[in-house]
Amino acid sequence: MAATLASPVPSTEHEVERCGTEEEIRGAEAEGEGSPPQTGPGPVSACSNNRLSKLPLARIKALMKTDPDVSLASQESVFVIAKATELFVEMIAKDAMVYAQQRKRKTLQRKDLDNAIEAIDEFAFLEGTLD
Amino acid sequence: MAERPEDLNLPNAVITRIIKEALPDGVNVSKEARRAISQAASVFVLYATSCANNFAMKAKRKTLNAGDVMAAMEEMEFERFLEPLKEALEVYKKGQKGKKEVSEQKRKDKEKKQDSENDRSREEEEEEEEERMEEEPEAEEDEAEN
């Protein structure tokens, strides 16, 4: 491993190359698929640029590809969707929390989510989609 | 191994972290709520992708690009996301550019090294050197741990 001596570049470098390329990557599960579900924040964000995106791009891309109409997605588009999803999670958590607080609860519960989805227009697309 | 939408979930640990960072301290999230949010996030990805893909198809492109995703956000009434997304994308693009240059540099260095390794008499010497060099960092690591 002479590379660790010589180069100043952090080792996440080659991990990015593995998961973030332009064209379709059928087997791009290198990122997080093989590892146990709760590996913690470290390896999951290893593939992101300076922790820009918390969600693993390879997983987002795999999700996107389940859509039969989608052929190719640029690396940037995958990143933007990942980032947007992060913002979405923040938003829905905060909006649902309002309902918990109204009932003087400190624990966010499933029904708070349901309330938020019903009340807020932007979440209409979620109706009927959750278990 | 075909991936079905139902099989693909976003990592629980990450979803939990995003939720916790969004909410005030002292707030808890039930397991069911967490699971529902994770599911919602997957649905969001699919919906956004489909929407963005429509824009790409309208423009007769086969490749989804960042602009398509931005247009999708507006269509989905998530305009509030546009500014932070644009900023994040700028940073991301710069980072990608840097990594590209670094990997090209690495490739050049590798080619240079291969050229010199083609000289047989030097090859053996370098192998010995590499072994020696490999030993050193390990020694340093041991010290660091102590």
Side-chain angles (χ1 to χ4, degrees), chain A residues 17 41 44 49 52 54 59 64 66 69 71-72 74-77 85 94 106-108 122 125 131, chain B residues 3 9 14 17 21-22 27-28 30 39 45 47 49 53 62-64 77 92-93 96 99 102-103:
Chain A
E17 284 172 25
V44 165
N49 256 352
L52 260 195
K54 298 185 174 112
R59 194 87 67 99
M64 288 167 72
T66 59
D69 294 332
S71 24
L72 297 169
S74 75
Q75 201 174 0
E76 284 177 9
S77 70
T85 306
K94 286 183 183 155
K106 288 223 151 160
T107 300
L108 190 64
E122 289 92 313
F125 73 93
D131 284 343
Chain B
E3 302 281 11
N9 279 318
V14 182
R17 190 149 57 97
E21 287 176 10
V27 162
N28 289 319
S30 79
Q39 263 189 301
V45 172
Y47 182 33
T49 299
N53 200 42
K62 291 240 170 103
T63 305
L64 251 186
E77 296 182 28
Y92 178 75
K93 285 204 267 203
Q96 289 303 98
K99 284 185 198 282
V102 165
S103 64

Side-chain angles (χ1 to χ4, degrees), chain B:
Chain B
M1 185 169 52
E3 302 281 11
R4 293 168 302 156
E6 313 89 74
D7 297 337
L8 288 166
N9 279 318
L10 299 168
N12 283 324
V14 182
I15 296 286
T16 303
R17 190 149 57 97
I18 299 172
I19 297 173
K20 293 233 151 157
E21 287 176 10
L23 298 176
D25 286 338
V27 162
N28 289 319
V29 185
S30 79
K31 205 167 56 165
E32 291 76 23
R34 242 186 298 140
R35 198 168 64 85
I37 292 181
S38 184
Q39 263 189 301
S42 296
V43 175
F44 176 84
V45 172
L46 295 173
Y47 182 33
T49 299
S50 175
C51 213
N53 200 42
N54 285 336
F55 286 104
M57 292 199 291
K58 252 190 258 179
K60 306 223 165 99
R61 265 183 287 108
K62 291 240 170 103
T63 305
L64 251 186
N65 66 29
D68 299 325
V69 180
M70 298 295 185
M73 291 299 122
E74 251 195 276
E75 173 99 345
M76 291 160 67
E77 296 182 28
F78 285 108
E79 289 97 348
R80 61 174 80 187
F81 290 177
L82 290 177
E83 270 317 303
L85 286 179
K86 284 182 189 152
E87 286 173 23
L89 182 59
E90 279 316 303
V91 181
Y92 178 75
K93 285 204 267 203
K94 287 201 191 116
Q96 289 303 98
K97 192 172 165 212
K99 284 185 198 282
K100 212 175 171 184
E101 288 164 10
V102 165
S103 64
E104 277 184 36
Q105 185 57 52
K106 269 185 153 178
R107 204 168 28 91
K108 286 181 191 157
D109 289 346
K110 202 178 173 186
E111 284 167 14
K112 255 191 253 169
K113 198 182 174 200
Q114 281 173 355
D115 283 347
S116 62
E117 278 180 0
N118 283 337
D119 185 351
R120 285 215 175 171
S121 58
R122 287 220 263 144
E123 203 180 306
E124 286 165 25
E125 284 180 6
E126 284 188 0
E127 274 179 39
E128 278 178 47
E129 262 184 59
E130 278 183 46
E131 279 169 11
R132 259 186 269 128
M133 279 161 68
E134 278 181 41
E135 281 170 33
E136 282 174 20
E138 279 179 53
E140 280 175 34
E141 274 175 40
D142 284 341
E143 284 181 6
E145 275 176 64
N146 289 334

